[in-house]
Amino acid sequence: MKLKILIIVLLISMQSFSQEKTFSSEEVAINELIDGTLLNPNDNSKSALAIIIAGSGPTNRDGNQNFLQNNSLKKLAEGLTNQGIATFRYDKRIVKQIRKGKVDENIMFDDFVTDAKSVLDYFKEKDNFSKIYIIGHSQGSLVGMIAAKDNADGFISLAGAGQSIDGVIVEQVTKAAPMFTEDCERIFEILKQNKTTTDYPPALASIFDISLQPFMSNWMQYNPVEILKELDMPILIVNGTKDLQVSVDEAKSLKEASESAEIKIIENMNHILFTIEGDNLENSKSYNESFRKINPEVIETIVSFIH
């Protein structure tokens, strides 16, 4: 009797494993700077491909940083590929540089755009997919819409800002520490002239450290609304009501820039695509909680848009 039960348990386990494994995984080196993971559905048909671009900081292909492990982008990729859409997600170039102990101090926002274009060109040349969409998350939304302009079949913004980064930061500082608003505005005016300054409050050093200012100057020259107006392709804009970093108003600004764009506001979804039922403390803690599942509605929305 015990043997019979054991056999039944093993058969059930094998069946559930086969059901979950609906895709193959392949490591792909785009160039010496960019490595990533390609997931392909197992049905062998020529599917659409979604290229996933991570947000700000040294974010890897899975959506993680050194002390923030949530696997949000890995879960997004696997969720999409389980629904028949191939995905490619890659480490930002700075991730590889950190691993090698050789970080380029002169790295610019434009370098991230160059990398995204290289990924898109690589898969366009391979011609293994029916269509190629770019999904940009947070900072990756701006990177993605610039890269998508000439060569992609569609663009998806996840938690992407609707204004240039200086506007985003001034707004965030005004909410959190309004006593520094004038300092922020003053420093950004200097950066707009491609100049640097050491005259900033120590409390703002994480934003305006002298080593970061050239990158910030480069980044803030791009206005997402103006770029989105130029995209002649299907566009989907997604934001969550529990996003602590990018408000729903930002998504609405992007929508106003493109009459044909679709917009989806997902109730209780936060910045890293998790469902948050509680307060801001739960929200903040989730950034380092890899056990959480990705919000199912974001998967459904993207799959429906691409299909």
Side-chain angles (χ1 to χ4, degrees):
M1 184 66 179
K2 287 183 179 179
L3 180 60
K4 191 179 290 186
I5 292 172
L6 179 60
I7 292 171
I8 292 171
V9 169
L10 286 171
L11 286 172
I12 292 173
S13 299
M14 290 173 66
Q15 183 181 24
S16 64
F17 177 80
S18 64
Q19 287 174 344
E20 290 175 6
K21 192 67 175 179
T22 61
F23 55 81
S24 62
S25 178
E26 177 187 354
E27 296 301 294
V28 176
I30 301 299
N31 53 41
E32 62 181 8
L33 295 170
I34 299 299
D35 302 315
T37 301
L38 175 66
L39 302 183
N40 267 309
N42 284 343
D43 61 9
N44 294 321
S45 62
K46 194 171 184 180
S47 67
L49 170 70
I51 297 169
I52 300 172
I53 303 174
S56 59
T59 309
N60 69 14
R61 69 189 74 181
D62 294 333
N64 301 329
Q65 297 186 19
N66 289 340
F67 302 107
L68 295 174
Q69 305 289 313
N70 53 66
N71 286 328
S72 55
L73 298 186
K74 179 180 180 180
K75 292 170 185 177
L76 173 65
E78 291 180 347
L80 293 176
T81 308
N82 273 327
Q83 297 296 320
I85 297 169
T87 58
F88 180 76
R89 63 191 196 276
Y90 61 92
D91 296 332
K92 294 175 70 175
R93 67 163 65 188
I94 194 170
V95 172
K96 193 168 186 177
Q97 292 173 355
I98 289 172
R99 286 175 183 156
K100 291 186 173 182
K102 296 180 180 180
V103 177
D104 181 3
E105 295 180 358
N106 298 315
I107 195 168
M108 292 290 170
F109 178 85
D110 283 341
D111 293 321
F112 298 143
V113 176
T114 296
D115 294 339
K117 288 181 177 179
S118 296
V119 172
L120 180 57
D121 290 344
Y122 175 92
F123 286 108
K124 277 284 186 179
E125 187 175 326
K126 292 289 183 183
D127 194 29
N128 291 331
F129 302 96
S130 59
K131 289 185 178 181
I132 300 181
Y133 291 76
I134 286 184
I135 301 176
H137 176 251
S138 193
Q139 183 197 70
S141 170
L142 180 57
V143 172
M145 67 176 72
I146 299 170
K149 183 179 176 182
D150 298 321
N151 229 357
D153 296 296
F155 171 68
I156 299 164
S157 171
L158 294 182
Q163 56 184 322
S164 57
I165 188 59
D166 52 315
V168 173
I169 291 175
V170 168
E171 192 173 283
Q172 290 176 344
V173 169
T174 300
K175 288 180 181 178
M179 71 287 290
F180 295 121
T181 299
E182 287 188 13
D183 286 300
C184 271
E185 292 173 338
R186 173 181 56 81
I187 297 165
F188 278 127
E189 284 303 316
I190 294 171
L191 298 186
K192 283 178 183 177
Q193 302 171 48
N194 289 318
K195 297 178 181 178
T196 59
T197 179
T198 56
D199 181 16
Y200 53 83
L204 299 179
S206 62
I207 303 171
F208 295 119
D209 183 87
I210 191 70
S211 65
L212 300 175
Q213 290 180 27
F215 180 91
M216 191 69 75
S217 293
N218 182 215
W219 185 1
M220 62 192 281
Q221 71 177 288
Y222 293 106
N223 185 328
V225 166
E226 296 304 319
I227 296 165
L228 206 68
K229 288 178 181 177
E230 299 176 2
L231 294 191
D232 183 20
M233 62 184 66
I235 297 169
L236 172 64
I237 300 160
V238 181
N239 219 95
T241 62
K242 288 290 183 78
D243 193 322
L244 296 175
Q245 294 170 249
V246 179
S247 71
V248 168
D249 288 340
E250 300 286 333
K252 291 178 179 177
S253 294
L254 290 176
K255 167 57 184 166
E256 289 173 5
S258 174
E259 289 185 9
S260 62
E262 297 180 31
I263 184 169
K264 179 70 174 180
I265 305 301
I266 299 178
E267 196 69 26
N268 292 330
M269 187 177 78
N270 75 352
H271 189 69
I272 54 170
L273 316 178
F274 291 161
T275 303
I276 303 297
E277 300 292 351
D279 57 13
N280 287 351
L281 179 59
E282 179 195 346
N283 201 334
S284 299
K285 287 173 63 178
S286 72
Y287 283 61
N288 197 33
E289 294 179 336
S290 59
F291 63 83
R292 287 181 177 267
K293 293 182 179 179
I294 195 170
N295 184 292
E297 202 170 345
V298 71
I299 299 292
E300 294 165 9
T301 300
I302 294 172
V303 169
S304 176
F305 173 77
I306 291 178
H307 282 168

